[in-house]
Amino acid sequence: MTGSDETPSFRLAYVPGVMPDKWVRIWNERQPDVPLILTQVPAGEVAERLLGGDADAGLVRTPVDRTAFSAIALYTEQTVVVVPKDHLVTAVDEVAPEDLADDIVLHPLDDVLDWETLPGRPALERPATTADAVELVAAGIGVLVVPLSLARLHHRKDLTHRPLTDAPESSVVLAWPEDAKTDQVEDFIGIVRGRTVNSTRGRQQPPTGTRSTDAARGDARRKPVPGKSAGAKRTGKSGSGAPKGTRRGKPRRRS
């Protein structure tokens, strides 16, 4: 099969916790003939997958190597601490790092938060994954600090979470290789930025022959008829300004 015979598609990678459903739905409505192939990729592998050509773009977490990728910011997540439901911090609405001073704070190898100093006490070993760390929290081994979406992704009935103040935050961006921006990537950028289907931004342009708004407005203005003032109003008066039926001439002098 030649390249010209292949059905075009858009391959989108995304990291755990990111929810692309809304954007995928809009894509399918606007591009029914271009399949969107969605693949979840571990956060530590997504850059390699994109550079290797396994995906056209990715919904990834910062930081992003801007020497290799172009990226546009989408949103920043709230950071939370995951704890057992009977933990003391569940009595408050939000938690400060000093509130975790006596807790073992687990630090998985796939952590997506950029810590300078992790709060609490370190564990003897780092769990391999966030999922493993959640299991340890459920076993009463420690607590875990993650973006809100990961707390929801790994939700358990015996665990809960609280917002953690003064902590690093995770931002999500749409990224693609610097030298590999396709038409499909441009279309998806329009979707995540909220452009309408008829937006003049991006690669979609009005069809050839479409009359511009200015031209339509120009046609709507009636050209003045030769011999008549362009500013004359339809008030039932003639072009001279005198009422119809009135004889022109000097007014009669009253006696």
Side-chain angles (χ1 to χ4, degrees):
M1 181 180 290
T2 63
S4 59
D5 294 330
E6 293 178 355
T7 301
S9 63
F10 177 53
R11 300 166 301 162
L12 181 67
Y14 70 103
V15 296
V18 175
M19 303 295 289
D21 300 24
K22 178 182 71 173
W23 297 320
V24 172
R25 175 179 55 78
I26 296 174
W27 176 277
N28 291 334
E29 292 172 355
R30 296 185 184 180
Q31 306 276 4
D33 298 327
V34 182
L36 191 154
I37 302 172
L38 198 60
T39 305
Q40 186 179 96
V41 179
E45 299 178 13
V46 67
E48 181 181 354
R49 296 282 191 95
L50 289 172
L51 291 175
D54 293 334
D56 300 306
L59 298 170
V60 306
R61 297 183 185 276
T62 55
V64 173
D65 182 0
R66 298 307 291 264
T67 64
F69 296 99
S70 296
I72 58 173
L74 300 178
Y75 58 88
T76 298
E77 287 196 70
Q78 184 180 56
T79 301
V80 301
V81 55
V82 179
V83 298
K85 281 193 172 181
D86 59 356
H87 195 284
L88 290 176
V89 300
T90 59
V92 297
D93 293 331
E94 63 180 23
V95 182
E98 53 268 25
D99 296 328
L100 304 177
D102 296 330
D103 288 285
I104 292 176
V105 178
L106 302 166
H107 191 201
L109 294 175
D110 64 354
D111 184 23
V112 298
L113 298 174
D114 187 18
W115 290 100
E116 290 186 3
T117 303
L118 199 69
R121 297 184 293 127
L124 295 178
E125 294 183 3
R126 295 182 64 180
T129 66
T130 298
D132 293 336
V134 170
E135 294 296 324
L136 294 175
V137 175
I141 304 300
V143 301
L144 174 66
V145 179
V146 290
L148 177 59
S149 67
L150 288 179
R152 289 173 173 169
L153 177 66
H154 298 288
H155 171 71
R156 291 175 52 117
K157 292 182 178 180
D158 53 348
L159 301 180
T160 187
H161 59 265
R162 291 291 185 272
L164 181 65
T165 62
D166 300 323
E169 295 177 321
S170 174
S171 296
V172 175
V173 302
L174 173 67
W176 61 94
E178 177 72 25
D179 57 351
K181 187 178 183 181
T182 65
D183 288 342
Q184 286 74 31
V185 171
E186 182 64 53
D187 289 339
F188 196 74
I189 290 172
I191 289 174
V192 299
R193 282 185 165 171
R195 297 176 193 162
T196 64
V197 67
N198 295 322
S199 172
T200 57
R201 299 186 65 183
R203 74 183 183 92
Q204 294 182 344
Q205 300 294 333
T208 303
T210 300
R211 303 176 72 185
S212 68
T213 302
D214 290 342
R217 289 175 178 173
D219 290 346
R221 303 189 187 101
R222 296 186 61 188
K223 295 182 179 180
V225 178
K228 287 189 176 182
S229 171
K233 297 181 180 179
R234 298 182 180 181
T235 59
K237 298 181 180 181
S238 65
S240 64
K244 291 184 179 181
T246 302
R247 295 178 62 186
R248 300 181 62 182
K250 296 182 179 179
R252 295 180 181 181
R253 179 180 300 174
R254 294 183 180 179
S255 58

